[in-house]
Every structure is written in structure tokens, then in C-alpha cells.
């Protein structure tokens, strides 16, 4: 434990709401929830978990649909299979640069 004590600050409702909107905007632009919440927390000098809980409690956090999740799982399975094939090929010495 360090000698520094956590400094608590009061965040007003307008700032909290603006933070929630900013995090949601970053998620919609392609950032992960974690990255967006971390950046907002850094800007406000509050804990990342605080920002995450604000967004989650707001009920506005964008979520993937079941179809989007299924498509991503299919892409991931394909990438894993390709990776396995390439690892096996390179392990057998059949990769580029071999004669």
C-alpha cells in the first residue's frame, strides 16, 4: 500500500451524463467499452469502474445482437482454424524461406 490516499471528488449530474454520452459515442465509433471508459476516467480523474458503472446503470450501453455475436464467433472459428493450419505448416518446416 502506498502512502498516497485516494482523492474523492464529487461529479455533478451534468458531467456524469456528458461522460456517459461520450463513452457511448466512442463505443459506437468502434472503441471497446473498456478503452472508452478508461479514457473518460482518466480525463475526470475518477476510477474506471466508476465510469463503467455509470454507463451500465444508464441502460444505454450498446450491445451486440445475437446475429452479430454469431457472425463474430464464426469469424473467430475460421481464424483459429487458419492459425492451426499455419502453425502446423511452419512447425513442419514448410514455411517461406525453406527450400
Amino acid at each position: 500500500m502506498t502512502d498516497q490516499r485516494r482523492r474523492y471528488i464529487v461529479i455533478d449530474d451534468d458531467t456524469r451524463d456528458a461522460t456517459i454520452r461520450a463513452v457511448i459515442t466512442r463505443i459506437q465509433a468502434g472503441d471497446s467499452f473498456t478503452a472508452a471508459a478508461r479514457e473518460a476516467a482518466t480525463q475526470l480523474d475518477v476510477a474506471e469502474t466508476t465510469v463503467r458503472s455509470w454507463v451500465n446503470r444508464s441502460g444505454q450501453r450498446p450491445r451486440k445482437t445475437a446475429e452479430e455475436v454469431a457472425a463474430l464467433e464464426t469469424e473467430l472459428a475460421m481464424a483459429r482454424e487458419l492459425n492451426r493450419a499455419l502453425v502446423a505448416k511452419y512447425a513442419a518446416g514448410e514455411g517461406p524461406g525453406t527450400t
Side-chain angles (χ1 to χ4, degrees):
M1 185 75 48
T2 65
D3 291 335
Q4 292 181 335
R5 293 188 56 141
R6 180 132 180 108
R7 182 176 57 88
Y8 292 94
I9 59 174
V10 176
I11 303 294
D12 62 73
D13 292 343
D14 290 336
T15 303
R16 186 193 66 233
D17 293 343
T19 302
I20 292 168
R21 285 191 306 274
V23 169
I24 290 168
T25 299
R26 291 213 31 200
I27 293 169
Q28 291 170 336
D31 285 350
S32 70
F33 178 44
T34 300
R38 182 179 301 130
E39 181 59 31
T42 299
Q43 295 294 321
L44 293 175
D45 194 26
V46 298
E48 180 184 333
T49 54
T50 299
V51 174
R52 293 173 66 87
S53 68
W54 290 345
V55 175
N56 285 330
R57 281 186 291 176
S58 76
Q60 300 174 48
R61 179 177 170 192
R63 303 274 185 177
K64 300 281 187 212
T65 64
E67 293 80 18
E68 290 172 317
V69 171
L72 290 170
E73 287 173 345
T74 300
E75 287 180 36
L76 180 58
M78 185 181 303
R80 284 183 177 148
E81 185 55 38
L82 178 58
N83 188 52
R84 279 189 205 103
L86 290 172
V87 167
K89 181 177 180 175
Y90 281 87
E94 299 173 15
T98 58
T99 49

